[in-house]
Amino acid sequence: MKMFLWSILVSLALACHAAGWIHVEPADHAKQLASSDFAGIVEVTSLADTGRKKVMFGNEVAFREVKVTLKVLSPFKGGKDGQLDCMIYRRPTDDELIADGMPRKDVLNASLNLATDESLHLFLVAIRRNERLMAYLVKSGDTFVPVTGDEKASQSLHRLEMANQLSVPEAGEEKPGPVER
């Protein structure tokens, strides 16, 4: 009976993985720090497509290269105040897939597969200008790339949450009243 239940559990786990359920991989900060050329707190100052493409994983999808300019706020390793450029890849939009020659009927399937396989780690994790990140980067020529390489890029840029930050009211805003208990 135990063997039967165990086989059902394994079958369900494999089915969930095949169905595209996302499994979050833990970040290994100690290993990233040891293998990085730069580590520190940065602020995103600009994001720009370079126009270059790269086909990965042996499929026909060409990922787009993005140049991310980062202002160094607090370097931990290998850096000083200033700014640096980082190259990362993002997944193409549906229109870009069509422009690359993919038949319209295959675009939805390709988009769904991109969102559920190992290429998920290529994409910028919805970062925007002025957002602060903990970045682990490796020098590559005259620019930087995420420390874990192209296939794990999202694991090298960690969004900082603004916990424990007091909000001071601006001039003219109503000040909060006393807290009742």
Side-chain angles (χ1 to χ4, degrees):
M1 183 67 175
K2 279 186 176 181
M3 190 60 142
F4 176 71
L5 291 175
W6 183 251
S7 65
I8 290 175
L9 180 65
V10 169
S11 298
L12 286 173
L14 290 174
C16 290
H17 182 68
W21 287 19
I22 297 173
H23 303 281
V24 177
E25 295 179 19
D28 188 350
H29 294 283
K31 185 177 177 184
Q32 288 177 314
L33 182 61
S35 60
S36 65
D37 293 329
F38 170 84
I41 306 296
V42 296
E43 183 176 328
V44 178
T45 57
S46 72
L47 300 159
D49 279 349
T50 64
R52 291 191 287 266
K53 304 175 192 178
K54 184 174 182 179
V55 175
M56 298 182 218
F57 307 119
N59 61 21
E60 68 276 1
V61 176
F63 294 88
R64 280 19 187 209
E65 186 180 64
V66 177
K67 178 181 176 184
V68 183
T69 303
L70 304 167
K71 177 182 174 185
V72 178
L73 300 176
S74 180
F76 300 149
K77 178 181 179 184
K80 56 183 185 273
D81 291 339
Q83 76 177 30
L84 52 92
D85 293 327
C86 174
M87 297 299 184
I88 192 167
Y89 292 91
R90 68 164 176 82
R91 86 181 197 187
T93 64
D94 290 351
D95 290 337
E96 289 170 335
L97 288 172
I98 292 168
D100 288 346
M102 181 174 286
R104 188 172 294 278
K105 64 181 178 63
D106 296 337
V107 169
L108 178 61
N109 192 34
S111 293
L112 291 173
N113 287 336
L114 288 175
T116 59
D117 66 10
E118 69 274 7
S119 61
L120 176 69
H121 300 289
L122 291 169
F123 315 135
L124 293 169
V125 192
I127 61 175
R128 295 177 295 271
R129 284 191 63 213
N130 302 323
E131 194 156 44
R132 293 183 179 181
L133 309 169
M134 174 65 207
Y136 299 101
L137 306 171
V138 174
K139 190 78 168 156
S140 175
D142 57 347
T143 188
F144 286 88
V145 294
V147 74
T148 51
D150 293 335
E151 296 178 21
K152 301 279 184 189
S154 68
Q155 297 298 313
S156 296
L157 300 171
H158 304 275
R159 178 179 290 122
L160 295 179
E161 304 234 355
M162 299 306 254
N164 300 329
Q165 184 177 25
L166 293 176
S167 177
V168 179
E170 298 284 327
E173 285 186 347
E174 186 177 317
K175 294 183 180 181
V179 177
E180 295 183 25
R181 293 183 188 236

